[in-house]
Amino acid sequence: MSYFDAASGAPLHPVARQALLASLDEGWADPARLYREGRKARMLLDAAREAVAEAVGCRADEVVFTSSGTRAVHTGVAGALAGRRRVGRHLIVSAVEHSSVLHSAEAFEAQGGAVSTVAVDRAGAVDPSAYAAALRQDTALACLQSANHEVGTVQPVGEVAEVCRAAGVPLLVDAAQSLGWGPVEGGWSLLAASAHKWGGPSGVGLLVVRKGVRFAAQGPLDERESGRAAGFENLPAIVAAAASLRAVRAEAAQEAVRLRELTERIRARVPELVPDVEVVGDAERRLPGIVTFSCLYVDGEALLHDLDREGFSVSSGSSCTSSTLTPSHVLKAMGVLSEGNVRVSLPPGVSAAEVQRFLDVLPGTVAGVREKLGAPAPATVVRAEELVVDSLGKRCPIPVIELAKVIGDVPVGGTVRVLSDDEAARLDIPAWCEMRGQEYVGEEPAERGTAYVVRRVS
């Protein structure tokens, strides 16, 4: 089985396994106690904190260990907002942040705070000037991920941090996807990360709060982790997380070159091997191991299941694979095709042979899914130079398939009106138009669902 979902969770690094087993014997006692076993545990905890601080590029007393990366984000956002309550109650986030940041923003908004969302371009990147424009006198905090978890695009954190610094606003960086590859550059104020993203054990998060940043931890507090993460530390997991971070950093430069070559091969070959594919994310400013593409006329869930049967573990941002039947907020914000979406995120050590086998298997797998979906005859009514396609009650990618089948039945200049009640159609129909050189006129309210109007131009 080829595991190609390292962006969700990297396999446990051998160094992490060794450190975990060793610290189970040495680090079981309470590090807050003064007897021998407690002192031994404290030494392990202090050494882990020093190692993480060195990797992050901060002071050891700025590092807090939490129970997860999500908890680190929630604690960091809430604490920074509370610490700057007198400044104001305005938060800035990007449209493609991890759900943990967006959930924090939703909770803040529910409590009466104001949230501004910065848009991204089609590659998934923010413009630093957009952050500058979003800043207000009452802005308490801004958040920006270092790199996107779904498409791999690296964000201009340094430039945004400088904009925020000039305005006196702290910047919280979600570095979960990038920290294993290197430190986050720029004058950020807070940072969050998660050990299972770089090959450490799950259940260990990092929160870094720079000295001088106003911070007021929320909720019940205790003496652990500077009062910012209550509860007994999971010392064996923390030691393993720190050891694996140091190990992957030592290997990062060489492994990044190798993984970039493999992902570039996928980016180049997939559009050649599979028709009607859009490769998404920035082609240059990107993480080494992530490549994402979307396939027209493909059910994302069916494609993932068939790839799993072929021995490949991949993930998807397609609405077809979610319980909400809405596309990934990242793909939606980028305005790219969401149907048949596949994210390949290669783990360190993956072989070129595995990647080649994926490329060999993919075309037939996509073709098989398209064949299974068939081409259901759309219900059409001719109105002069307009066709109405009734796709109500049909989920992605059927509305787009039916549009593609009938676009040639209207003359150049004629229109097709697609009736759909699937939220994904709002994203996928305009994306199809851009890929196929047709004009997306817009959407109109309909008696049921929405009418998406497309004009044939070629």
Side-chain angles (χ1 to χ4, degrees):
M1 191 74 181
S2 296
Y3 180 74
F4 285 2
D5 194 24
S8 292
L12 192 65
H13 194 282
V15 168
R17 184 182 300 277
Q18 294 168 6
L20 182 64
L21 293 175
S23 55
L24 285 172
D25 292 330
E26 300 293 330
W28 50 267
D30 186 347
R33 301 306 173 205
L34 298 180
Y35 42 70
R36 180 183 303 172
E37 294 85 356
R39 294 196 305 271
K40 189 180 295 185
R42 169 57 64 179
M43 289 176 61
L44 289 173
L45 182 59
D46 289 346
R49 203 182 308 276
E50 291 281 356
V52 167
E54 181 182 0
V56 172
C58 66
R59 295 168 41 148
D61 59 358
E62 294 173 335
V63 176
V64 170
F65 293 110
T66 66
S67 59
S68 68
T70 294
R71 174 51 59 191
V73 167
H74 291 173
T75 301
V77 171
L81 289 171
R84 287 174 50 83
R85 187 181 291 110
R86 291 184 180 180
V87 174
R89 290 180 55 75
H90 177 234
L91 170 67
I92 302 172
V93 300
S94 86
V96 294
E97 294 300 310
H98 187 269
S99 58
S100 60
V101 174
L102 299 183
H103 291 160
S104 291
E106 290 170 3
F108 178 61
E109 201 167 27
Q111 295 165 2
V115 178
S116 293
T117 302
V118 175
V120 297
D121 60 21
R122 196 170 175 84
V126 302
D127 186 335
S129 65
Y131 266 78
L135 289 166
R136 306 187 330 201
Q137 289 293 325
D138 63 340
T139 302
L141 177 68
C143 299
L144 179 63
Q145 59 190 193
S146 55
N148 187 259
H149 50 291
E150 289 195 29
V151 299
T153 297
V154 173
Q155 300 289 2
V157 172
E159 295 93 319
V160 172
E162 180 59 27
V163 165
C164 292
R165 186 202 62 78
V169 174
L171 177 68
L172 183 150
V173 176
D174 173 12
Q177 286 298 336
S178 72
L179 194 60
W181 296 109
V184 178
E185 304 298 333
W188 48 267
S189 302
L190 303 97
L191 180 144
S194 186
H196 76 281
K197 299 288 188 178
W198 66 67
S202 58
V204 179
L206 303 180
L207 173 62
V208 179
V209 182
R210 295 282 199 190
K211 292 297 181 183
V213 175
R214 292 181 181 175
F215 190 92
Q218 300 300 286
L221 307 178
D222 65 19
E223 71 279 4
R224 307 282 176 176
E225 294 300 304
S226 305
R228 293 172 178 171
F232 199 99
E233 297 93 344
N234 185 351
L235 187 53
I238 288 171
V239 170
S244 58
L245 181 57
R246 177 176 285 177
V248 298
R249 281 291 190 81
E251 304 159 353
Q254 182 176 352
E255 190 64 15
V257 171
R258 204 178 67 84
L259 290 187
R260 283 191 190 282
E261 292 176 351
L262 294 176
T263 52
E264 283 305 313
R265 185 186 307 176
I266 297 173
R267 286 180 65 86
R269 291 291 290 150
V270 166
E272 297 172 355
L273 296 169
V274 182
D276 299 316
V277 162
E278 180 178 15
V279 181
V280 301
D282 196 290
E284 301 296 331
R285 288 177 55 88
R286 59 184 304 100
L287 291 174
I290 297 178
V291 57
T292 306
F293 54 89
S294 299
C295 308
L296 275 173
Y297 321 133
V298 168
D299 180 306
E301 185 170 7
L303 181 56
L304 262 59
H305 283 317
D306 283 6
L307 286 172
D308 181 53
R309 280 191 284 270
E310 292 288 346
F312 296 99
S313 301
V314 299
S315 63
S316 173
S318 171
S319 61
C320 305
T321 63
S322 72
S323 59
T324 60
L325 294 177
T326 57
S328 148
H329 71 278
V330 172
L331 301 178
K332 189 173 182 179
M334 293 167 62
V336 297
L337 183 70
S338 74
E339 67 184 47
N341 178 260
V342 174
R343 180 187 69 181
V344 174
S345 47
L346 303 176
V350 65
S351 69
E354 289 178 278
V355 170
Q356 184 56 51
R357 193 173 76 83
F358 175 77
L359 292 172
D360 292 340
V361 164
L362 182 67
T365 306
V366 173
V369 172
R370 286 172 172 166
E371 185 178 356
K372 288 177 191 174
L373 284 172
T380 62
V381 178
V382 180
R383 295 180 181 172
E385 294 189 339
E386 179 180 77
L387 285 178
V388 177
V389 178
D390 184 356
S391 291
L392 293 168
K394 301 173 182 177
R395 300 302 176 193
C396 72
I398 300 303
V400 178
I401 290 177
E402 296 189 340
L403 166 62
K405 288 189 65 180
V406 303
I407 190 70
D409 294 343
V410 298
V412 173
T415 59
V416 176
R417 186 179 300 269
V418 183
L419 302 178
S420 177
D421 51 6
D422 182 5
E423 176 66 22
R426 180 168 283 110
L427 185 64
D428 292 346
I429 290 177
W432 178 88
C433 290
E434 181 163 333
M435 293 175 69
R436 304 312 291 264
Q438 308 299 340
E439 178 188 354
Y440 178 63
V441 177
E443 63 179 74
E444 300 174 357
E447 184 176 346
R448 288 179 56 210
T450 303
Y452 300 93
V453 183
V454 176
R455 178 175 289 112
R456 182 184 176 191
V457 296
S458 63

